[in-house]
Every structure is written in structure tokens, then in C-alpha cells.
Amino acid sequence: MQHPEQGKQTPLYAAHLRLGARMTVFGGYWMPLQYTGVIDEHLTVRQRAGLFDLSHMGEFRVSGPAAEAFLSKVLTGDVAGMRNGSALYTLLCNEDGVILDDLILYRTGGDQFLLAVNASNIRKDYEWIASHRTGENVRCEDVSEATSLIALQGPLAESILKKTPYRSAAELKRNAHQILERTVVARTGYTGEDGFELYTESQQAVSLWKTLFEAGKDAGLKPIGLGARDTLRLEAKLPLYGHDITEETTPYEAGLGWAVSLHKKNFVGKEALSRQHDTEPQKLLVGFEMMEQGIPRNGCPIWKDKVIGKVTSGTYGPSLRKNIGLGYVEKHFSNVGTELFVEIRGRKLRAQIVKTPFYKRSHV
Amino acid sequence: MNIPENLLYSKTHEWVRREGKEIVVGITEHAQSELSDVVFIELPKIGRAAKQGDPVAVIESVKAAFEIYAPVSGTVVRVNPELEKDPALVNKDPYGQGWLFALENVPEGDFKALLDKSAYEALLKQ
């Protein structure tokens, strides 16, 4: 049933099969879609903790005396303001000010940075970044193959980490990281829960997975597939590249203006982004809840008396027990409380724009 | 995999059972396990005339929507009212409480296209 030529295997491939995962090719890799089921896995992360293999994600190392200035030029964020051991959610935009990718930038040392990029954009991002490199004072390296990413997410993540050699990272504040056992341990994530992301050398991935798995046994830690990763991030309104943000959307339309530091002297896309900032966006990304039974999916038209937008992500939200979605609508229809219709299989079903994130954790 | 002896099966993983003059339709254990976590079901309207092979219902899992086809032609006379409250009945009890709809006026010839237990088992092994 599985054709290895269609996808590469992460170091944890065999572990997933042993755990009974249903596998799918995503971002060029065979990845676990689910183990016990999306709803069970989703609720496990909300209530206890889950372990994710995210080794399909891309990682670049950028270093050298001019690394900070270089990254400040190609990324939208305030790179110069980053302290050692911090992380920054930032965007890669082109000269037109549209989004090429969203990524997490870690300042691992003075002139050392780690970029975590989306699996489907590895080549595009690397070529873009490399093409903007000037001079010998910056070194860029695509370390995606050599790097594996494992995420430990959920309210019990901290107490589980404390039982491992990475315990000192349990003290980290949100978005901070440290390097332990040649692994970048960061208090970041994509679930709306507290948790950690561990970037390790691929040959260490199996032992790291085992260590975390064992440490979490008593706490009810379970492996989590990409299915639940999607429902978790959507409830927390974390955008998914290729759906909610694309080369057709701007940071301001996506509600990501906060990730653009217009005060920076010069960076790729600054002119276009300044113009966007000073003019009203035509469309805005909003979150909505279905008032009638139906599950919105990517591409469904959004209606008032005419089509006013399109759904970019939609799902049944297991923690909310509601059907929710994200989509772009014309700006004057974007207020919270606005009623609209989502067309699902030819039927227009009632929906309402709601405050986002849909889900916010109550425990700190 | 549970494949009851007394049912007939379609190649698209629906089952049918004769109950008096009604033909009751559901999806198989295999189908529910492939779908996993059913969260919403759109059932046909009562009175609808369906042709064998027509898409008549939609089952949505968390991740995607799947069409359900009429395994035989007929008129929809009943739909399972419990599924609106608890669509996961399809996962929990696909051959029992998770039935989808019932048809009448089914042409006898339509059953010829269906599979018995061993033929359906063979299909799953392919």
C-alpha cells in the first residue's frame, strides 16, 4: 500500500508503524496522520500532553558576522532586537509585500541563527534567502536532512520534560530556548498549549523520542499525528501556510501586521508593506463558527447577498465541539458578530464571525 | 475485521440488509475505520428516489468529506434520526445503531451487483 518512492522517511518512521500510525505523504515525507484518532489525540494534547514527529519541517542555519544584518534584511521581524536564546515568529515577504513563508527564527548564539521553515517551502525559501546573500560574512546552510524536530505539547509537557536530561529547559519562558545535549530546546509550539519543540541531530532522533515517550508514560503522553496538529492549530487560529497565508495574501490582510517591523531601516518588501500599512486592506482573515450543521472546508465560497470571500481552513473543533473556519472576507463584512453564509456542497449555511482565537488555554 | 454473514456489500463499502419490505443501508466496519472519527452526516431526504450508484449521503470525518452511494436503487423511506445527535454511532456500531437510511421499491436485479461476505472479504484483500 505504501510506495517508498513517493516519500522520504524520517528517522522515526519505524516507530510510527510500531505505534499503529496511519501514514501519509506530507511535505515529501511519510508522516503519521493519526494513531488512535484525531479527536482522541487532540483532546490528549489539550488535557495532558502529546508527542509529535515534525521532522519534515525545514531548518536552515545562518551564521557569521553579518548574519544579523542579513536576516534583518530578508525577514520582516525585528531581528536586531533578539537576545541570545530567544525566538521570533517572522515572515519572509517578497518585494510586493506578499508572504513567501512564515517561520520561527531562533537566535542560538551571538551571530548564530536557526530558521524553522515549512516543509513545502524548503527549496523556495532557501533559494530566496541564498539569492539575497551578499558578501562572505554570512553563511547559510540547509540542515533540514540532518535535523529532526520533535514537539512535546500540552499542559503536562513541563512536568514530563523535568523527568529527562533536558529538565533545565522546564524553567524557560515562552519563546525562549537553550541548547542541551546538542539539541535546541525551545518553549514554542503550534497547538495553542504550553510545550516545547526540540531540534536535534537526526541520528539522535530515535533516542530523544524514546526518552520523552518513557518520561511521559505515567502522565498519559500519546503520539500525535498531523491530523490533530491541524485541528489544534486551527482552534488556536495559528495560520497554515498554503491555506490561510499564501503568495496571494499580505501580512495586514492575514492579521500578521505585528510581525512586520516597519521601523527597520531597510528590508525586502518594506516599500510595499509600508503602503499596505497606510491603506485599508481589501480583505481580512476572519474566524467564523457555523450556526447550521456543516463543516466548512478550504475553498468554500463565503456569501452575503453575493460572494464576499473564501474559506481557507475549516474543521470540526474537538475542544469547542463546533464547526469552525478561517477565511478571507471583504473588509466591511469582517466585524465580529457579522452573519454570513458558507456554501457547502451547493447549500448556503449560516455562520457568524467570532472572536479569535477560538480556543485559549485556561492554564498558564 | 467484522464482516457479518447475513449482509450484502457494495464495492464502495456500503452494506444492505433486508428488513421486511425495507432495505436498510449502512457502511462497513472497514469503511468506518478508514474514515475514523465521524463528526457529521448529511442524510438523503425522505421520498428521494435514488439510482444504484448515486451519491446519496455525505459522511464527514474531522479531516474530510466522503460520499456514500446508493448500493441499490429505491425510494428513501427512513433515515436514522440518532445520527444527528451522535454521528460517531457509525464508528461505534456500523452494522447496528449506525445504520444510515432505508429504501423501498428496490428492483430485485440490483442485488446481483452486490457482494457476499467472502467476495467482500476478497475485495478488501486486494
Side-chain angles (χ1 to χ4, degrees):
Chain A
M1 221 163 99
Q2 293 173 351
H3 308 284
E5 68 273 16
Q6 291 174 356
K8 292 184 273 190
Q9 296 179 5
T10 77
L12 295 163
Y13 181 80
H16 300 317
L17 293 187
R18 269 200 306 279
L19 288 163
R22 186 175 301 172
M23 305 293 285
T24 185
V25 173
F26 185 82
Y29 283 88
W30 279 107
M31 298 301 293
L33 180 62
Q34 61 174 65
Y35 303 82
T36 52
V38 174
I39 295 177
D40 177 63
E41 291 166 34
H42 177 111
L43 297 176
T44 298
V45 174
R46 290 273 183 258
Q47 291 155 9
R48 298 192 293 278
L51 199 58
F52 302 71
D53 175 15
L54 305 173
S55 300
H56 61 307
M57 298 284 285
E59 294 86 11
F60 307 153
R61 281 192 186 282
V62 176
S63 58
E68 180 192 288
F70 170 65
L71 290 170
S72 188
K73 193 184 81 185
V74 288
L75 301 172
T76 60
D78 182 15
V79 181
M82 289 179 77
R83 277 186 274 174
N84 288 345
S86 68
L88 182 71
Y89 174 83
T90 184
L91 304 170
L92 195 62
C93 286
N94 68 11
E95 298 291 355
D96 298 329
V98 295
I99 305 172
L100 299 177
D101 201 5
D102 66 336
L103 53 100
I104 309 281
L105 177 66
Y106 298 92
R107 186 167 208 157
T108 51
D111 57 7
Q112 311 256 348
F113 294 86
L114 177 71
L115 282 71
V117 306
N118 284 299
S120 49
N121 289 338
I122 295 175
R123 191 181 296 167
K124 176 179 88 171
D125 290 2
Y126 190 74
E127 282 171 5
W128 177 263
I129 291 172
S131 74
H132 283 76
R133 200 169 60 101
T134 46
E136 296 297 300
N137 289 325
V138 185
R139 200 173 127 83
C140 296
E141 203 186 347
D142 178 0
V143 293
S144 303
E145 289 282 331
T147 309
S148 288
L149 170 57
I150 295 172
L152 172 66
Q153 300 277 302
L156 300 183
E158 183 184 293
S159 64
I160 292 169
L161 199 74
K162 279 184 178 157
K163 294 185 182 171
T164 72
Y166 307 92
R167 61 182 61 81
S168 68
E171 309 299 324
L172 291 172
K173 293 211 173 78
R174 187 86 195 146
N175 286 330
H177 70 269
Q178 59 182 183
I179 300 170
L180 299 162
E181 320 254 324
R182 302 201 307 283
T183 300
V184 174
V185 186
R187 199 155 202 158
T188 50
Y190 191 56
T191 58
E193 294 300 327
D194 184 23
F196 301 87
E197 292 181 303
L198 297 92
Y199 298 85
T200 197
E201 293 166 11
S202 286
Q203 65 265 30
Q204 289 197 108
V206 171
S207 72
L208 173 59
W209 177 269
K210 268 190 201 150
T211 300
L212 295 169
F213 214 92
E214 286 299 312
K217 239 181 192 163
D218 299 338
L221 177 74
K222 285 186 187 175
I224 312 296
L226 294 183
R229 179 169 158 86
D230 190 52
T231 56
L232 288 159
R233 71 90 195 166
L234 188 44
E235 282 188 347
K237 207 212 175 195
L238 297 166
L240 173 62
Y241 194 85
H243 288 247
D244 313 309
I245 48 178
T246 68
E247 291 185 23
E248 250 100 77
T249 58
T250 72
Y252 298 99
E253 293 167 345
L256 297 173
W258 57 270
V260 180
S261 293
L262 284 177
H263 66 83
K264 287 196 294 180
K265 210 165 98 208
N266 198 19
F267 62 96
V268 177
K270 178 173 179 178
E271 223 173 283
L273 289 161
S274 303
R275 242 180 294 124
Q276 290 168 19
H277 175 263
D278 296 339
T279 47
E280 293 257 289
Q282 301 269 302
K283 57 179 183 185
L284 277 179
L285 186 66
V286 296
F288 60 87
E289 217 174 83
M290 297 303 296
M291 317 289 282
E292 284 183 279
Q293 279 291 342
I295 302 177
R297 305 285 184 191
N298 180 270
C300 288
I302 301 175
W303 289 77
K304 275 305 257 193
D305 48 349
K306 60 183 172 59
V307 173
I308 55 156
K310 214 167 72 175
V311 175
T312 53
S313 288
T315 189
Y316 168 77
S319 300
L320 311 157
R321 300 192 186 183
K322 284 176 183 164
N323 297 321
I324 55 168
L326 295 177
Y328 284 93
V329 297
E330 291 174 19
K331 169 130 197 309
H332 50 285
F333 293 118
S334 64
N335 289 337
V336 169
T338 304
E339 292 208 14
L340 30 81
F341 298 92
V342 177
E343 184 183 330
I344 301 174
R345 291 186 288 279
R347 288 167 57 208
K348 288 177 201 154
L349 303 175
R350 283 197 307 124
Q352 186 174 37
I353 298 179
V354 295
K355 252 177 80 182
T356 50
F358 302 99
Y359 167 88
K360 213 167 180 175
R361 67 178 184 269
S362 46
H363 30 261
V364 194
Chain B
M1 191 66 65
N2 179 16
I3 305 173
E5 191 84 56
N6 58 336
L7 304 180
L8 290 173
Y9 301 91
S10 71
K11 288 177 181 150
T12 46
H13 309 284
E14 291 88 11
W15 56 258
V16 307
R17 178 170 55 224
R18 247 180 235 274
E19 283 180 14
K21 47 182 190 160
E22 282 183 4
I23 299 299
V24 179
V25 178
I27 64 166
T28 65
E29 172 82 34
H30 168 80
Q32 76 74 22
S33 130
E34 285 293 305
L35 296 175
S36 79
D37 287 345
V38 171
V39 291
F40 178 59
I41 303 174
E42 211 173 279
L43 290 166
K45 288 219 164 63
I46 290 173
R48 169 164 176 190
K51 282 222 172 64
Q52 190 170 37
D54 279 356
V56 285
V58 176
I59 297 193
E60 298 225 30
S61 73
V62 181
K63 292 304 297 169
F66 302 88
E67 306 255 36
I68 302 303
Y69 302 96
V72 289
S73 306
T75 308
V76 177
V77 290
R78 281 194 304 138
V79 297
N80 184 347
E82 301 302 319
L83 295 180
E84 198 180 326
K85 270 181 282 149
D86 188 6
L89 285 173
V90 169
N91 296 119
K92 287 179 249 177
D93 189 11
Y95 298 114
Q97 291 181 74
W99 67 278
L100 298 177
F101 54 89
L103 299 167
E104 278 187 15
N105 307 320
V106 176
E108 275 308 309
D110 280 11
F111 293 100
K112 276 188 245 148
L114 299 179
L115 312 171
D116 62 9
K117 175 188 163 90
S118 64
Y120 183 62
E121 232 163 11
L123 176 82
L124 292 186
K125 283 199 187 110
Q126 271 173 27

